[in-house]
Amino acid sequence: MQKRWKWWVGLLLSLTLLLAGCGAAKTADNTAASTSSSAQGSAKAAVQTSVPQGTISIKMLDVGQGDAILIQTQEQTVLIDTSDVDERDKLRAQLAKAGVKKIDKVILTHPHADHIGGMEVLLDGSYEIGSIYDNGMPSTSKLYLSYMKKAKARGIPHHALKTGDVLDFGGGAQFKVLSPEESLVQKGQQKGYKHDPNNESVVGRLTFGQFAMLFTGDAEKEAEASIAARYGSELKSQVLKAPHHGSKTSSSAAYLRLVQPETCVISCGAGNDYGHPHKETLKKYAAIHAKTYETDKNGTITITSDGKSYEVKEEKS
């Protein structure tokens, strides 16, 4: 009888330990599930930061033979390049028309006059400027030295961009820098280096939900080949800002095959001395069935997107 009692006690102890083990396993599963849920929530929150908010407006301003592209999201105003010296009045008028008083980010693709010539307008005290970005290359250009001096005097932060940098434009819009490479920036900062400003242009891909636009400065075929080798099919974008004002020195066929643009927008002046856009380039755009717009013919070109689709409007005055 005593042996039988001990047997029952042993059995009860075994069952108790077994149930305790099951309880521990169940608690561990719940903890794991809770951790997984938390991780999923964090991931979801991270995804939500890039979800488009409202719409984005991208205006290729009609400022003659130069570049000035105004980007407005729900949170920020960004200006990529500032037109030429002799087009400052046009730039001022276009900014006033858009109601711009504050510019969060000014991005200067390279120090040629037709891209940085309007910086005097921005730094004369009429506008609040958040930060200035460029390609980090030193320049002996008087325009470059002048704006750098004035920006420093006003205490405006200056940053150099390189491949892989990502700028937040607010409202779910992001600008990923594709060029110049860091190695090129480092070479460009060395004394005696022979610069090629066009191929040192800041090139970046703007994404807003499912919408993408490629900004190219004056990058030519050499830079295009380097960018294509690094990014390949990642370059695909619905809209292409035609590099170098539609020059035949840019928009290589291989590059266009990767970008696959549906729309190409060209900034150029009517009857300009360079013959921009060149016929060879326009034929390439036609060959890929891309709709082409030119500021000299169509005026300011406005692209609006909700992150899913986009539309293009002409504002010829």
Side-chain angles (χ1 to χ4, degrees):
M1 183 69 179
Q2 189 175 8
K3 289 183 179 180
R4 192 171 180 181
W5 177 80
K6 289 181 178 180
W7 181 84
W8 279 108
V9 170
L11 179 60
L12 287 171
L13 286 173
S14 297
L15 288 172
T16 301
L17 290 172
L18 180 61
L19 289 172
C22 290
K26 185 175 181 180
T27 302
D29 288 343
N30 286 340
T31 302
S34 176
T35 303
S36 176
S37 177
S38 176
Q40 288 174 358
S42 299
K44 187 176 181 181
V47 170
Q48 286 178 340
T49 60
S50 61
V51 171
Q53 298 173 23
T55 60
I56 188 171
S57 169
I58 304 165
K59 292 179 179 287
M60 177 169 275
L61 303 178
D62 182 10
V63 289
Q65 184 62 22
D67 272 11
I69 305 169
L70 181 66
I71 302 169
Q72 293 173 299
T73 69
Q74 296 294 299
E75 299 174 1
Q76 294 187 29
T77 295
V78 179
L79 186 65
I80 299 181
D81 287 331
T82 63
S83 78
D84 211 335
V85 175
D86 58 355
E87 306 292 356
R88 288 174 179 171
D89 288 342
K90 288 184 179 179
L91 175 64
R92 190 179 285 106
Q94 291 284 355
L95 293 177
K97 186 177 179 180
V100 174
K101 290 294 183 181
K102 176 184 177 183
I103 303 174
D104 297 278
K105 294 179 175 69
V106 177
I107 300 174
L108 303 171
T109 59
H110 63 295
H112 278 161
D114 58 335
H115 293 258
I116 68 171
M119 282 302 291
E120 293 289 330
V121 171
L122 303 187
L123 296 172
D124 68 1
S126 301
Y127 304 90
E128 180 183 346
I129 308 297
S131 296
I132 297 173
Y133 300 81
D134 60 26
N135 62 7
M137 304 287 187
S139 173
T140 57
S141 161
K142 290 183 179 179
L143 284 172
Y144 173 85
L145 295 173
S146 176
Y147 94 68
M148 286 288 284
K149 182 178 180 180
K150 289 187 177 182
K152 185 176 181 180
R154 285 189 53 182
I156 300 173
H158 168 261
H159 308 279
L161 296 173
K162 64 183 182 305
T163 299
D165 289 343
V166 178
L167 296 182
D168 181 7
F169 285 2
Q174 292 188 327
F175 183 85
K176 182 177 180 179
V177 180
L178 310 181
S179 189
E181 291 185 78
E182 185 172 9
S183 58
L184 179 59
V185 175
Q186 291 174 347
K187 288 179 182 178
Q189 293 172 343
Q190 295 174 5
K191 190 175 181 179
Y193 179 78
K194 187 176 180 180
H195 288 276
D196 180 5
N198 285 347
N199 282 313
E200 294 168 358
S201 290
V202 172
V203 175
R205 184 171 180 266
L206 172 67
T207 55
F208 183 69
Q210 299 169 21
F211 171 79
M213 179 171 175
L214 191 63
F215 293 81
T216 57
D218 277 359
E220 299 182 326
K221 292 177 182 177
E222 179 183 332
E224 289 177 348
S226 179
I227 294 167
R230 284 196 303 277
Y231 292 99
S233 60
E234 292 180 46
L235 295 175
K236 186 175 180 180
S237 305
Q238 291 98 323
V239 181
L240 170 69
K241 179 271 172 189
H244 202 183
H245 317 284
S247 171
K248 61 184 177 182
T249 60
S250 306
S251 296
S252 62
Y255 192 64
L256 292 178
R257 281 196 295 271
L258 291 172
V259 181
Q260 299 180 45
E262 302 168 351
T263 301
C264 297
V265 289
I266 306 171
S267 183
C268 58
N272 65 82
D273 296 337
Y274 309 98
H276 293 156
H278 291 149
K279 292 180 179 179
E280 296 92 328
T281 301
L282 294 177
K283 286 181 179 178
K284 289 178 183 176
Y285 294 163
I288 60 174
H289 307 291
K291 174 70 174 176
T292 303
Y293 296 86
E294 304 172 30
T295 55
D296 60 331
K297 296 177 180 177
N298 307 111
T300 291
I301 303 159
T302 302
I303 300 159
T304 307
S305 175
D306 60 0
K308 296 178 182 178
S309 61
Y310 72 96
E311 63 177 2
V312 184
K313 290 184 179 180
E314 309 167 29
E315 298 179 25
K316 190 65 178 178
S317 56

